[in-house]
Amino acid sequence: MTTIRRVRKTDDKSIAKIIRCVFDEFDMPKTHTVYDDPDTDRQYELFRDEPLSVLWVAEADGKVIGTCGVYPTAGLPKGWCEIVKFYVDSNERGKGIGNQLFAKALSSARCLGYTTAYLETFPQFGGAVRMYERYGFEALDHQIGNSGHTATSIWMTKKLCEADFADADMEWEVLSTQNIIHRPHLDAYCERVKLPNGKIYDEFYHLHFAPVVCIVAETTDGKLIMERQYRHAVREVLTEIPAGIVEDGEDPLTAAKRELSEETGYGSDDWQPLSVEYAQGGVQDNKMYSFLARNAIPVGDRHLDSTEDISVHLIDKEEVLGMLIRGDISQAPLSPALWKYFALYTDLLR
């Protein structure tokens, strides 16, 4: 029975052997190809360290028999990924395993948010090239990106996004604007707007708040730094991740580092951006910048604002995921950062 699963550390030697055996079998070039690429011997680490990647492994009776993956190769245009490491053991071809692996990789590329898939190959792999064409890949006349595999001579792409939006005729025209509230971090406007169908809307209320940062912070022992604090607007004590306002003249990452330290007493030297989102685009214009802080450690005392009363808790990530699923974390603007963290930086949802 054949199963398809994610790559494991113990697969590295088997994967490297399959790749190099294919090159030997077809008498392929050995230099400037995956054959002499040092990363060929460390597939697990390569894909583990890049959250927007995945390497699928086909296994039968405990033996690795094929691979295919997705990777954001350096130098590719924005939104592009490369379909990589597509190899099947010579004794297992003709059984549909390659088709399963390739389809799995393409599905993963779409799920990871890529808009275009790219691949590089050789004329000797004629059967694979015909399969690529059946999947809708089209030939290019030049190599794209910096894979380092300059010996390849066939390059192909496929558009992954089928949605095609034509939004220009949906925009509203602002006829007048009145600032009705002006306070620190908050402005409220009453706007008179004209809709695309010609209707005039005399009172559209538009709120402007300062930008916000939120932080998924993971300690050196893998726990997540969570907070509990009272939120007067809803009259409840809520479970949250660290978050706060971006001050005037402050960039979001600096604000995130400051808020993590001030609210929790923790700091980190390992930061990754997670997302940029609108908190509530229907009526507010402020953005929320989400970051992941890994290997967070205590760095000093907390410095809370006069209205803040925050308790800090270090919680296992499995428990935090359970809280999300149960609905115990109910601050909607903060939840997307946690979901993205669990999807891309852990195996808990896979």
Side-chain angles (χ1 to χ4, degrees), residues 17-38:
K17 181 179 179 180
I18 289 175
I19 291 173
R20 294 191 172 109
C21 282
V22 170
F23 274 71
D24 291 335
E25 175 188 354
F26 288 91
D27 194 23
M28 306 287 289
K30 303 298 195 299
T31 60
H32 305 299
T33 68
V34 68
Y35 191 97
D36 68 350
D37 189 333

Side-chain angles (χ1 to χ4, degrees), residues 6 47-48 50-54 56 108 111-113 216 218 224 274 292 294 317 320-321 324-325 335-350:
R6 298 178 71 90
F47 287 87
R48 179 201 62 189
E50 172 49 64
L52 292 177
S53 73
V54 63
W56 295 109
S108 297
C111 292
L112 288 169
V216 179
E218 184 184 79
L224 294 184
L274 282 175
L292 169 62
R294 290 183 288 195
K317 63 186 68 174
V320 174
L321 178 57
L324 265 178
I325 291 173
S335 297
L338 280 168
W339 282 117
K340 195 165 187 178
Y341 161 76
F342 282 116
L344 294 182
Y345 291 90
T346 77
D347 288 329
L348 298 178
L349 293 175
R350 296 167 181 165

Side-chain angles (χ1 to χ4, degrees), residues 164-171 196:
D164 187 11
F165 302 120
D167 297 338
D169 59 352
M170 299 178 67
E171 296 179 2

Side-chain angles (χ1 to χ4, degrees), residues 271-295:
W271 290 81
Q272 297 287 334
L274 282 175
S275 62
V276 181
E277 297 160 326
Y278 290 107
Q280 191 178 1
V283 294
Q284 297 174 210
D285 65 4
N286 64 310
K287 291 182 177 179
M288 293 198 65
Y289 298 85
S290 301
F291 296 91
L292 169 62
R294 290 183 288 195
N295 298 309

Side-chain angles (χ1 to χ4, degrees), residues 12-273:
D12 280 348
K13 289 184 179 179
S14 298
I15 294 172
K17 181 179 179 180
I18 289 175
I19 291 173
R20 294 191 172 109
C21 282
V22 170
F23 274 71
D24 291 335
E25 175 188 354
F26 288 91
D27 194 23
M28 306 287 289
K30 303 298 195 299
T31 60
H32 305 299
T33 68
V34 68
Y35 191 97
D36 68 350
D37 189 333
D39 285 336
T40 297
D41 296 298
R42 52 180 296 274
Q43 297 302 307
Y44 172 75
E45 290 181 4
L46 180 68
F47 287 87
R48 179 201 62 189
D49 294 340
E50 172 49 64
L52 292 177
S53 73
V54 63
L55 181 62
W56 295 109
V57 171
E59 181 184 66
D61 299 323
K63 177 184 176 183
V64 174
I65 59 174
T67 63
C68 191
V70 176
Y71 198 84
T73 301
L76 289 178
K78 182 180 180 181
W80 287 40
C81 67
E82 184 177 358
I83 305 300
V84 296
K85 309 300 183 291
F86 181 38
Y87 297 95
V88 177
D89 185 279
S90 59
N91 297 315
E92 304 296 336
R93 295 180 202 140
K95 301 178 182 179
I97 296 167
N99 187 75
Q100 293 179 53
L101 282 166
F102 194 75
K104 185 75 169 177
L106 279 183
S107 176
S108 297
R110 298 182 71 183
C111 292
L112 288 169
Y114 293 109
T115 59
T116 302
Y118 167 79
L119 60 84
E120 303 175 347
T121 189
F122 296 88
Q124 290 92 327
F125 298 154
V129 172
R130 289 189 290 275
M131 187 189 73
Y132 303 150
E133 291 172 342
R134 290 195 300 272
Y135 272 93
F137 278 78
E138 298 179 350
L140 295 170
D141 61 3
H142 62 284
Q143 187 176 39
I144 300 179
N146 304 320
S147 68
H149 304 157
T150 55
T152 58
S153 57
I154 295 177
W155 314 284
M156 307 180 78
T157 63
K158 173 183 171 62
K159 184 178 179 181
L160 299 176
C161 287
E162 298 178 359
D164 187 11
F165 302 120
D167 297 338
D169 59 352
M170 299 178 67
E171 296 179 2
W172 295 5
E173 179 183 356
V174 179
L175 303 177
S176 65
T177 299
Q178 179 185 4
N179 185 198
I180 55 177
I181 297 175
H182 176 63
R183 302 293 298 163
H185 308 304
L186 167 64
D187 282 276
Y189 299 89
C190 180
E191 296 182 332
R192 188 168 184 263
V193 296
K194 182 179 180 180
L195 280 57
N197 61 9
K199 180 176 179 176
I200 303 296
Y201 190 2
D202 290 322
E203 292 186 56
F204 178 81
Y205 292 95
H206 158 211
L207 302 179
H208 170 75
F209 291 97
V212 173
V213 291
C214 55
I215 306 102
V216 179
E218 184 184 79
T219 63
T220 52
D221 59 354
K223 295 183 182 294
L224 294 184
I225 303 176
M226 305 298 294
E227 300 179 348
R228 291 278 290 173
Q229 66 176 310
Y230 176 73
R231 294 300 191 181
H232 185 66
V234 294
R235 273 59 168 182
E236 289 186 34
V237 177
L238 300 180
T239 302
E240 304 173 349
I241 57 178
I245 290 173
V246 180
E247 300 293 348
D248 289 342
E250 194 175 34
D251 70 89
L253 179 56
T254 299
K257 292 179 178 180
R258 175 182 53 75
E259 288 290 345
L260 178 64
S261 175
E262 288 179 354
E263 292 188 355
T264 71
Y266 278 76
S268 170
D269 293 325
D270 185 357
W271 290 81
Q272 297 287 334

